[in-house]
Amino acid sequence: MKETNNLLEMNENNGLGKVEIAPEVIEVIAGIAASEIEGVASMRGNFAAGVVERLGKKNHGKGVKVELNDDGIVIEVYCVMIFGVSIPTVAQKIQDNIRQALLNMTALEVNEVNIHVVGVQFESKTQDFDIDQEM
């Protein structure tokens, strides 16, 4: 595997050609794998991603940053956890799920998967009041 122009190039000697994977593909795979874990409330994105989501397009790479360097692939995940879960346990599950998903789908090994918990979501308790009208 080597990096060329922000693409991951996988060279296999099968004579069929080469496979290049864009970092955006890795972001999407990691984002979906992270949001599958129970205990993750949401992924953090920027303002533009929030506007795009409100217009109806789902951004699966939201909250994931992929860095390609000489050491390998480093993935940064920014997420909001649900109140009451064990953050170290959920973070470990996120790391394992991302590593496994990338290995299964792209055959790429990741050097680091760093989890950044940027918030905690509390359950909103809304009460519904029944209004009885007597006539």
Side-chain angles (χ1 to χ4, degrees):
M1 171 186 79
K2 62 183 184 179
E3 176 191 346
T4 58
N5 300 333
N6 285 337
L7 293 176
L8 294 172
E9 185 177 309
M10 299 169 26
N11 290 325
E12 294 184 13
N13 296 327
N14 59 7
L16 296 175
K18 63 182 177 180
V19 175
E20 293 179 344
I21 300 174
E24 292 82 14
V25 173
I26 296 171
E27 287 177 0
V28 169
I29 293 170
I32 292 171
S35 42
E36 287 176 346
I37 301 300
E38 189 173 330
V40 176
S42 64
M43 304 294 286
R44 186 193 77 173
N46 55 19
F47 177 74
V51 170
V52 169
E53 272 193 8
R54 287 195 177 103
L55 294 175
K57 185 173 187 247
K58 186 76 173 159
N59 185 2
H60 292 290
K62 181 173 87 168
V64 179
K65 180 181 173 193
V66 175
E67 296 177 14
L68 308 174
N69 54 34
D70 295 335
D71 298 334
I73 302 170
V74 177
I75 299 176
E76 307 286 335
V77 179
Y78 299 88
C79 59
V80 177
M81 299 284 184
I82 296 173
F83 178 75
V85 299
S86 171
I87 291 176
T89 304
V90 174
Q92 180 68 46
K93 288 179 183 178
I94 293 170
Q95 289 173 324
D96 293 340
N97 202 30
I98 289 174
R99 284 184 193 274
Q100 192 63 43
L102 284 171
L103 188 61
N104 290 342
M105 296 181 77
T106 65
L108 293 173
E109 290 284 340
V110 180
N111 284 14
E112 293 180 21
V113 178
N114 299 317
I115 309 298
H116 303 275
V117 180
V118 295
V120 176
Q121 179 180 347
F122 297 95
E123 288 184 34
S124 60
K125 297 189 179 194
T126 58
Q127 296 178 355
D128 295 331
F129 295 101
D130 292 332
I131 300 174
D132 294 329
Q133 295 181 354
E134 294 181 21
M135 294 193 175

